[in-house]
Amino acid sequence: MSVFSHPEFDNHEQLSFFCDEETGLKAIIAIHNTNRGPALGGCRMWNYASDEEALRDVLRLSKGMTYKSALANLDLGGGKSVIIGDPRKHKSEDLLAAMGRFLERTGNQYIAAEDSGTSVPDLQVMNRFTDNVAGVTERTGIDGLPCNGDPSPATAYGTFIGLKTAVQYKLDRKDLSGLKVAIQGVGNVGYRLAEHLHAAGAELFVTDIHEEQVQRAVTELGATAVSQNEILSLDVDVIAPCALGAVLNDDSIPLIKAKVVAGASNNQLASQRHDLMLRERGILYAPDYVLNAGGIIDVFYERVGHEHTKVRAHVETIADTLTEIFGRADVQDRPTGEIANELAEERFMK
């Protein structure tokens, strides 16, 4: 498995591979950049088709966290970890404990948080063996209600704020009533985003690999269930990718009828050139790592002193960042993702 010549390797500071024969744990931790502070990023557990796919994911995700923290004006760097395995079949307390011990070996360079396939209780198991975890402290959430540490509500709220900003910019609509939104993935974040949109009067179309989550959205939010194959090609106003990455690619982009892409998933672009491809088709792309920064903002404040009103106000600055990106992109006639990357690099490169 090539590392230094890997197409997703971006001068990462550290890449660690861990294996525990007794529990079956196979994990990778990637630290991309620590110029602004310790690397913070989710611990994802996924049934990857291959080790190569897991490596590609952790390299891309860790880099994205560096850019996300920088654009969110946080004193954090970027990192990520992945556990290879089906979280519904292979996860065990012993496996999570082993992961906690491995996290401790990284020193204070990487801090893990919740991600796809992991939960607050999972991180709490790891926390028994290391302090290098975040999002595990009970506190008041951004909605003023008790929160067990799960950053998903903040991620979903930030995504909602960003989606509204993109809709106003591209479609000149402040009112979301009747807005047609296709949500790809209604897990922890996607479902909460759907709740915000439903409350605002939007018409929802949803899909997910887990049928029970789709049915929940249909029953509770009046959403329309659609197949995974058709979700991106629906005749809607907005597409909100909220599952795994690389869904915006050579095959999917020509099928998109929506004028706005604004969702919570990381690394939505299969490659950087797809940023330009979206712009050339007149589709406004809200860069994913700008939109979904609410979770890391929430976790950051947990470590420095949490006050939910400050967290909410900070999350809402996502709207200002996006407006600046959209404006620069139009003035310079360049893709929005390219502009976002430049802004982030100005903040974390020495």
Side-chain angles (χ1 to χ4, degrees):
M1 186 189 304
S2 171
V3 176
F4 294 115
S5 60
H6 194 285
E8 300 298 342
F9 184 79
D10 184 59
N11 295 314
H12 283 66
E13 294 179 8
Q14 183 175 334
L15 190 65
S16 304
F17 297 82
F18 297 102
C19 179
D20 183 71
E21 184 177 3
E22 183 176 346
T23 64
L25 174 69
K26 292 182 179 179
I28 310 173
I29 297 175
I31 298 173
H32 177 252
N33 186 284
T34 57
N35 287 346
R36 292 180 64 94
L40 192 151
C43 175
R44 171 172 292 184
M45 184 170 185
W46 197 256
N47 193 26
Y48 292 101
S50 65
D51 295 347
E52 166 63 25
E53 186 180 57
L55 175 61
R56 181 176 185 273
D57 204 30
V58 78
L59 289 173
R60 295 193 77 194
L61 290 167
S62 56
K63 177 181 176 180
M65 294 305 297
T66 298
Y67 284 70
K68 183 184 299 187
S69 291
L71 273 190
N73 287 310
L74 300 174
D75 294 329
L76 293 170
K80 207 78 174 185
S81 55
V82 297
I83 299 173
I84 301 172
D86 187 335
R88 296 195 171 200
K89 297 178 180 178
H90 304 140
K91 188 190 298 180
S92 68
E93 187 167 324
D94 288 342
L95 181 144
L96 295 169
M99 187 64 187
R101 291 190 290 269
F102 288 144
L103 288 170
E104 181 65 13
R105 295 187 189 179
T106 67
N108 298 316
Q109 293 301 297
Y110 169 66
I111 303 161
E114 180 188 1
D115 205 306
S116 301
T118 61
S119 64
V120 171
D122 296 337
L123 271 293
Q124 289 172 337
V125 173
M126 298 178 199
N127 195 201
R128 299 175 195 166
F129 304 91
T130 182
D131 290 330
N132 297 328
V133 297
V136 294
T137 303
E138 292 188 2
R139 56 185 184 270
T140 302
I142 61 169
D143 53 7
L145 299 175
C147 174
N148 67 353
D150 182 0
S152 297
T155 303
Y157 180 63
T159 303
F160 175 66
I161 291 295
L163 187 151
K164 286 201 305 180
T165 303
V167 167
Q168 182 174 351
Y169 191 91
K170 181 67 175 181
L171 304 179
D172 195 25
R173 290 183 56 167
K174 291 185 178 181
D175 184 1
L176 302 188
S177 181
L179 186 80
K180 294 182 178 181
V181 183
I183 304 178
Q184 183 189 45
V186 279
N188 285 341
V189 174
Y191 190 83
R192 288 184 170 94
L193 172 63
E195 288 181 313
H196 286 298
L197 290 167
H198 175 68
E203 183 179 353
L204 305 177
F205 302 82
V206 302
T207 195
D208 196 282
I209 60 173
H210 301 299
E211 183 60 28
E212 68 273 17
Q213 295 175 181
V214 172
Q215 289 307 311
R216 181 187 177 198
V218 171
T219 302
E220 298 182 7
L221 304 177
T224 299
V226 299
S227 71
Q228 296 179 53
N229 292 333
E230 64 180 323
I231 190 73
L232 297 179
S233 61
L234 293 178
D235 188 7
V236 294
D237 301 300
V238 181
I239 291 172
C242 295
L244 292 184
V247 297
L248 302 175
N249 51 52
D250 290 338
D251 295 326
S252 65
I253 292 176
L255 302 177
I256 295 176
K257 299 180 181 68
K259 291 299 181 183
V260 174
V261 174
S265 60
N266 289 302
N267 296 326
Q268 294 169 23
L269 302 172
S271 70
Q272 199 56 48
R273 62 186 176 81
H274 294 117
D275 189 17
L276 176 60
M277 191 173 177
L278 287 167
R279 182 170 181 83
E280 289 176 339
R281 296 197 67 244
I283 300 168
L284 180 63
Y285 167 60
D288 47 44
Y289 66 82
V290 181
L291 218 65
N292 63 22
I296 197 170
I297 292 170
D298 186 47
V299 169
F300 172 78
Y301 278 92
E302 176 192 84
R303 299 180 67 83
V304 301
H306 199 279
E307 186 177 325
H308 74 277
T309 54
K310 289 184 178 179
V311 176
R312 188 179 182 92
H314 196 146
V315 170
E316 289 173 349
T317 64
I318 288 173
D320 300 325
T321 304
L322 280 175
T323 299
E324 180 180 359
I325 290 169
F326 295 157
R328 285 198 190 190
D330 281 346
V331 168
Q332 300 178 26
D333 191 21
R334 294 167 60 202
T336 53
E338 190 175 298
I339 296 294
N341 288 347
E342 281 189 2
L343 287 175
E345 288 164 1
E346 289 171 6
R347 299 179 185 182
F348 77 78
M349 285 189 172
K350 291 182 177 180

